[in-house]
Coordinates of all heavy atoms in Angstrom, one line a residue:
S1 N 132.9 116.5 104.1 CA 133.2 115.0 104.2 C 133.7 114.6 105.6 O 134.1 115.5 106.4 CB 134.2 114.6 103.2 OG 135.5 115.2 103.4
F2 N 133.8 113.3 105.8 CA 134.3 112.9 107.1 C 135.8 113.3 107.3 O 136.2 113.7 108.4 CB 134.2 111.4 107.2 CG 134.7 110.9 108.5 CD1 134.1 111.0 109.7 CD2 136.0 110.2 108.6 CE1 134.6 110.6 110.9 CE2 136.5 109.8 109.7 CZ 135.8 109.9 110.9
A3 N 136.6 113.4 106.2 CA 138.0 113.7 106.3 C 138.1 115.2 106.7 O 138.9 115.6 107.6 CB 138.6 113.5 105.0
E4 N 137.2 116.0 106.1 CA 137.2 117.4 106.5 C 136.8 117.6 108.0 O 137.4 118.5 108.6 CB 136.3 118.2 105.6 CG 136.9 118.4 104.2 CD 136.0 119.0 103.2 OE1 134.8 119.2 103.6 OE2 136.4 119.4 102.2
V5 N 135.9 116.7 108.5 CA 135.4 116.9 109.8 C 136.6 116.5 110.7 O 136.9 117.2 111.8 CB 134.2 115.9 110.2 CG1 134.0 115.9 111.6 CG2 132.9 116.4 109.4
S6 N 137.3 115.6 110.4 CA 138.6 115.1 111.1 C 139.5 116.2 111.1 O 140.1 116.5 112.1 CB 139.1 113.8 110.5 OG 140.3 113.5 111.2
D7 N 139.8 116.8 110.0 CA 140.8 118.0 109.9 C 140.4 119.1 110.8 O 141.2 119.7 111.5 CB 140.9 118.4 108.5 CG 141.7 117.4 107.6 OD1 142.3 116.5 108.1 OD2 141.5 117.5 106.4
V8 N 139.1 119.4 110.7 CA 138.6 120.6 111.6 C 138.8 120.3 113.0 O 139.0 121.1 113.9 CB 137.1 120.9 111.2 CG1 136.5 122.0 112.2 CG2 137.1 121.6 109.8
L9 N 138.4 119.0 113.5 CA 138.5 118.7 114.8 C 139.9 118.6 115.3 O 140.2 119.1 116.4 CB 137.9 117.3 115.0 CG 136.3 117.2 115.0 CD1 135.9 115.8 115.1 CD2 135.8 118.0 116.1
T10 N 140.9 118.2 114.5 CA 142.3 118.2 114.8 C 142.7 119.7 114.9 O 143.5 120.0 115.9 CB 143.1 117.6 113.7 OG1 142.7 116.2 113.6 CG2 144.6 117.6 114.0
L11 N 142.3 120.5 114.0 CA 142.7 121.9 114.1 C 142.0 122.6 115.4 O 142.8 123.3 116.1 CB 142.1 122.7 112.9 CG 142.5 124.1 112.7 CD1 144.1 124.3 112.7 CD2 141.9 124.6 111.4
S12 N 140.9 122.2 115.8 CA 140.3 122.8 117.0 C 141.0 122.2 118.2 O 141.2 123.0 119.2 CB 138.8 122.4 117.1 OG 138.1 122.9 116.1
L13 N 141.5 120.9 118.2 CA 142.2 120.5 119.3 C 143.6 121.1 119.5 O 143.9 121.6 120.6 CB 142.5 118.9 119.1 CG 143.3 118.2 120.2 CD1 142.6 118.3 121.5 CD2 143.6 116.8 119.7
V14 N 144.2 121.4 118.4 CA 145.5 122.2 118.4 C 145.3 123.5 118.9 O 146.1 124.0 119.8 CB 146.1 122.2 116.9 CG1 147.3 123.2 116.9 CG2 146.5 120.8 116.6
T15 N 144.2 124.1 118.6 CA 143.7 125.5 118.9 C 143.6 125.5 120.5 O 144.1 126.3 121.2 CB 142.6 126.0 118.3 OG1 142.7 126.1 116.9 CG2 142.2 127.4 118.8
D16 N 142.9 124.5 121.0 CA 142.7 124.4 122.4 C 144.0 124.2 123.2 O 144.1 124.8 124.3 CB 141.8 123.3 122.8 CG 140.3 123.7 122.3 OD1 140.0 124.9 122.0 OD2 139.5 122.7 122.1
L17 N 144.9 123.3 122.6 CA 146.1 123.2 123.3 C 147.0 124.4 123.3 O 147.7 124.7 124.3 CB 146.9 122.0 122.6 CG 146.3 120.6 122.8 CD1 147.0 119.6 121.9 CD2 146.3 120.2 124.3
L18 N 146.9 125.2 122.3 CA 147.7 126.5 122.3 C 147.1 127.5 123.2 O 147.8 128.2 123.8 CB 147.7 127.1 120.7 CG 148.6 126.3 119.8 CD1 148.4 126.9 118.4 CD2 150.0 126.5 120.3
Y19 N 145.7 127.4 123.4 CA 145.1 128.3 124.5 C 145.6 127.9 125.8 O 145.9 128.8 126.6 CB 143.6 128.1 124.5 CG 142.9 129.2 123.5 CD1 142.1 128.7 122.5 CD2 143.1 130.6 123.6 CE1 141.4 129.6 121.7 CE2 142.5 131.5 122.7 CZ 141.7 131.0 121.8 OH 141.1 131.9 121.0
A20 N 145.7 126.5 126.1 CA 146.4 126.2 127.3 C 147.8 126.6 127.5 O 148.2 127.1 128.6 CB 146.3 124.6 127.5
A21 N 148.6 126.6 126.4 CA 150.0 127.1 126.4 C 150.0 128.6 126.7 O 150.8 129.1 127.4 CB 150.6 126.7 125.1
T22 N 149.0 129.3 126.1 CA 148.9 130.7 126.4 C 148.6 131.1 127.8 O 149.2 131.9 128.3 CB 147.7 131.3 125.4 OG1 148.1 131.0 124.1 CG2 147.7 132.8 125.6
A23 N 147.7 130.3 128.4 CA 147.4 130.5 129.8 C 148.7 130.2 130.6 O 148.9 130.9 131.7 CB 146.3 129.5 130.2
G24 N 149.4 129.1 130.3 CA 150.6 128.8 131.0 C 151.6 130.0 130.9 O 152.3 130.3 131.9
A25 N 151.8 130.6 129.7 CA 152.8 131.7 129.5 C 152.2 132.9 130.4 O 153.2 133.6 130.9 CB 152.8 132.0 128.0
A26 N 151.0 133.0 130.5 CA 150.4 134.2 131.3 C 150.7 134.0 132.7 O 151.1 134.9 133.5 CB 148.9 134.4 131.1
V27 N 150.7 132.8 133.2 CA 151.0 132.4 134.5 C 152.5 132.7 134.9 O 152.8 133.3 135.9 CB 150.7 131.0 135.0 CG1 151.2 130.6 136.2 CG2 149.1 130.8 135.0
V28 N 153.3 132.2 133.9 CA 154.8 132.4 134.1 C 155.1 133.9 134.1 O 155.9 134.4 135.0 CB 155.6 131.7 132.9 CG1 157.0 132.2 132.9 CG2 155.5 130.2 133.1
F29 N 154.5 134.7 133.2 CA 154.8 136.1 133.2 C 154.3 136.8 134.5 O 155.1 137.6 135.1 CB 154.0 136.8 132.0 CG 154.0 138.2 132.0 CD1 155.2 138.9 131.7 CD2 152.9 139.0 132.5 CE1 155.2 140.3 131.7 CE2 152.9 140.4 132.4 CZ 154.1 141.0 132.1
T30 N 153.1 136.4 135.0 CA 152.6 137.0 136.2 C 153.5 136.7 137.4 O 153.8 137.6 138.3 CB 151.2 136.4 136.5 OG1 150.4 136.8 135.3 CG2 150.6 137.1 137.7
V31 N 154.0 135.4 137.5 CA 154.8 135.0 138.6 C 156.1 135.7 138.6 O 156.7 136.3 139.6 CB 155.1 133.5 138.5 CG1 156.2 133.1 139.6 CG2 153.8 132.8 139.0
R32 N 156.8 135.9 137.3 CA 158.0 136.6 137.2 C 157.8 138.1 137.5 O 158.7 138.8 138.2 CB 158.5 136.4 135.9 CG 159.0 135.1 135.5 CD 159.2 135.0 134.1 NE 160.8 134.8 133.9 CZ 161.5 134.7 132.8 NH1 160.8 134.9 131.7 NH2 162.6 134.7 132.8
L33 N 156.7 138.7 137.2 CA 156.4 140.2 137.4 C 156.3 140.4 138.9 O 156.8 141.3 139.5 CB 155.2 140.6 136.7 CG 154.8 142.1 136.8 CD1 155.9 143.0 136.4 CD2 153.6 142.4 136.1

């Protein structure tokens, strides 16, 4: 259903934002190291 499509897209957006946060954490770790 459309509601499920919306839920999956929201979940995918959250996943992408977390991937960006993961990349930021990797940069912080690299700079500190």
Side-chain angles (χ1 to χ4, degrees):
S1 68
F2 179 74
E4 290 176 347
V5 169
S6 178
D7 290 344
V8 169
L9 287 176
T10 301
L11 189 57
S12 295
L13 177 64
V14 168
T15 302
D16 290 342
L17 291 173
L18 285 174
Y19 271 124
T22 302
V27 168
V28 168
F29 172 74
T30 304
V31 168
R32 291 172 108 187
L33 181 62

